[in-house]
Amino acid sequence: MTGTKLHIKNMCCPRCINAIRTILESMGLTIVEIHLGDATIAEPLGNKETELLSEKLREQGFELLDNPDAYIVEAVRVAVLQWVRMTEERPKLSVYVSSKICKDYSSLSKLFSQVKGMTIEHYAIRHRIEYAKELLCYSATSISEIAYHLGYSSPAHFAAQFKQFTGMSPKAFRKLDNRPRVSLDEL
C-alpha cells in the first residue's frame, strides 16, 4: 500500500511525531508510516480534508507543505537535526545532507539560503549550540566530552564557537540559574 504522502514542517522530535499521530488518528485517517517531516496515510485527501488537516496542524505549531521547495528546505532542516544529534562518527555535513535528500549539495545550499536567509552550515552550527545548551543544562557530562560528542575537533574550538553565538563560555552558561534556550522549531 503506497498511500498519500504528507510533508509536515516543524516536526523535530519524537513528541512531534506523537502529536502528528494524534491529529491524524483524531481525523480517522489510517497511518501507514510516520517519520520526522513526513507521514503517509492510506486515504487520499480531498480539499476539505486537506484544509481541516492544515488547520489542525497549524493549531499545534506544524504546517502542511505543498510547495516542492518548502519540502526540500524542510528535508534539509531534518537532515541537519539528525546530523547534529548523531552518536556515531559524523560524515561531512555536505555529504550527509546530499545523501539524505539525493540532490546535489550546491543546489540545496542555494535554495536553503534563499528561503532561510542563512547557509546550511550556519544553521547546523546554531543547532549544535542549542544541543550543547541542552547537554550543559541536563547532563553532568564534561565540557570536553560535550565538544567531542558534538563532533568538534577540540574543546577550544567548541568553546570559541559557543561564545561567538551565546556571548559566554560553556562553563559560564552552565553556572547560570536561568539558561536561555531556543526551541528547535524556532531555529
Side-chain angles (χ1 to χ4, degrees), residues 65-97:
L65 300 173
D66 53 5
N67 173 324
D69 287 348
Y71 170 69
I72 291 170
V73 168
E74 183 64 9
V76 169
R77 191 187 73 77
V78 168
V80 167
L81 180 64
Q82 292 169 336
W83 180 82
V84 166
R85 294 191 176 247
M86 286 179 126
T87 54
E88 64 275 4
E89 189 173 331
R90 278 179 189 77
K92 193 173 175 186
L93 177 63
S94 59
V95 171
Y96 183 78
V97 170

Side-chain angles (χ1 to χ4, degrees), residues 84-137:
V84 166
R85 294 191 176 247
M86 286 179 126
T87 54
E88 64 275 4
E89 189 173 331
R90 278 179 189 77
K92 193 173 175 186
L93 177 63
S94 59
V95 171
Y96 183 78
V97 170
S98 294
S99 70
K100 287 300 247 184
I101 301 169
C102 300
K103 290 198 180 287
D104 137 67
Y105 186 77
S106 63
S107 63
L108 291 172
S109 181
K110 183 178 179 182
L111 175 63
F112 190 87
S113 293
Q114 287 172 342
V115 173
K116 288 294 223 178
M118 71 179 81
T119 65
I120 294 172
E121 292 80 7
H122 185 83
Y123 189 73
I125 292 168
R126 289 182 61 190
H127 268 284
R128 279 171 127 178
I129 297 302
E130 285 308 313
Y131 188 32
K133 288 179 182 179
E134 180 181 320
L135 294 171
L136 289 165
C137 289

Side-chain angles (χ1 to χ4, degrees), residues 145-175:
E145 289 173 317
I146 290 171
Y148 291 120
H149 177 75
L150 291 173
Y152 284 92
S153 58
S154 70
H157 180 223
F158 164 62
Q161 200 165 70
F162 190 91
K163 187 168 187 168
Q164 178 185 0
F165 276 79
T166 66
M168 67 184 78
S169 70
K171 186 176 181 180
F173 179 84
R174 186 173 252 171
K175 289 181 180 179

Side-chain angles (χ1 to χ4, degrees), residues 14-30:
R15 285 185 305 277
C16 295
I17 290 172
N18 288 335
I20 299 298
R21 183 181 316 282
T22 300
I23 291 168
L24 295 173
E25 288 173 348
S26 76
M27 292 181 63
L29 300 171
T30 307

